[in-house]
Amino acid sequence: ILHQMGIKIIIATGRRYFFAKPALETLQIPLVVLANNGNSVWIMNQDIKISAKYLSVEVFHEILKEGHKRGLYPVLHVDHYEKGCDLITEYQYTHPAYNSYVTPGSSRHKVVENLFEITEPNVMVMCYAAPTDILKNFQDYIRQNFHDSTQSHITYSLTRVGAMLEISHISGTKWQTALEYANSVGIERSEIIAIG
C-alpha cells in the first residue's frame, strides 16, 4: 500500500546484498537496499550499486597486521558482487579463528593465501570472532588509533559464532547512509519513518 501511495521504501540490513536480495524480491516492488550495515546501496530491481563505503587500504592493512600479532584472523565482507564474491578469508571455513562464521559450501566465499596481496580489496567490514575480552582489547586499540576513519562494535551470535568485532568505515552505518541517500533524492530527515 505504501508503494502504491508513492512512498519510497528503503530496506536497511546488516546482511550482504546477495544474501538479502532473494527474500526482498518476493515483495515484487522497486526497492532501494542499504546492505552490509549501510556500507553499500543498491537499486534492487536494476541490480545497480549506487554507492559503497570501504576501509582505506592503509587502514585495512594496519588493522590486519595488528590482528595477526594478536592471533586474530578476519572474515572480510568485500564489495566484489559482480565477481561472485562477498567474503574473503585466509583459511577455509573450518579454521577455528572463524568459529563457524562462514557457512560451509558458500559459493561466494573466497580463500586467499595472503590478504595483504589483494588488489582493490574493497573491504566494507572486517569481522573477528574471539572471546569477548580479547575483542574488547583489540577494539580499544582500534578506537585509539583509527577513531577518525573507522567505527566498530561487538555483537553476539548466540546460536553460532559468539562474540564478534565488526570494523567498518566511520560513516558505514544504516542511519548515516539512509540520511545520505534521502538527501540525494530530496527527502528531508523529518519525512523519514524507520521501522524495525
Side-chain angles (χ1 to χ4, degrees):
I1 295 175
L2 293 175
H3 170 64
Q4 293 169 346
M5 295 169 60
I7 295 172
K8 187 174 284 292
I9 300 172
I10 300 170
I11 302 295
T13 179
R15 303 286 184 173
R16 294 172 275 150
Y17 175 66
F18 177 83
F19 192 85
K21 185 180 170 186
L24 297 176
E25 284 177 326
T26 63
L27 299 174
Q28 298 182 335
I29 58 173
L31 292 172
V32 171
V33 180
L34 313 184
N36 294 89
N37 280 329
N39 284 287
S40 65
V41 181
W42 295 80
I43 299 174
M44 193 179 75
N45 64 333
Q46 299 172 39
D47 230 11
I48 296 173
K49 179 178 58 203
I50 56 176
S51 71
K53 298 174 182 177
Y54 311 136
L55 292 172
S56 75
V57 175
E58 295 76 21
V59 167
F60 160 54
H61 284 173
E62 287 300 315
I63 293 172
L64 186 61
K65 191 186 314 177
E66 183 63 27
H68 281 174
K69 285 182 191 173
R70 297 165 184 253
L72 298 171
Y73 302 91
V75 174
L76 303 180
H77 288 253
V78 296
D79 180 20
H80 293 175
Y81 176 80
E82 295 83 0
K83 297 177 184 177
C85 176
D86 303 311
L87 300 177
I88 299 178
T89 60
E90 292 169 280
Y91 302 103
Q92 293 294 338
Y93 70 90
T94 53
H95 194 280
Y98 308 134
N99 201 24
S100 301
Y101 186 98
V102 181
T103 304
S106 171
S107 63
R108 300 188 64 86
H109 169 220
K110 181 179 179 183
V111 178
V112 298
E113 192 170 313
N114 187 341
L115 293 177
F116 288 98
E117 294 179 358
I118 302 171
T119 56
E120 296 183 21
N122 298 353
V123 176
M124 293 186 286
V125 182
M126 299 178 79
C127 188
Y128 290 91
T132 304
D133 57 332
I134 292 172
L135 295 181
K136 282 185 177 177
N137 187 275
F138 191 26
Q139 184 181 39
D140 288 344
Y141 167 84
I142 290 163
R143 287 181 170 171
Q144 183 177 359
N145 291 280
F146 305 104
H147 59 87
D148 58 344
S149 59
T150 69
Q151 54 98 12
S152 64
H153 57 272
I154 296 174
T155 62
Y156 297 89
S157 167
L158 300 179
T159 56
R160 285 180 56 202
V161 184
M164 297 176 291
L165 171 61
E166 296 182 347
I167 306 151
S168 60
H169 188 278
I170 192 165
S171 65
T173 67
K174 296 173 193 169
W175 180 238
Q176 180 63 36
T177 302
L179 290 176
E180 291 167 2
Y181 176 76
N183 184 58
S184 75
V185 294
I187 297 172
E188 297 292 329
R189 184 181 182 132
S190 60
E191 297 175 293
I192 298 173
I193 298 174
I195 304 169

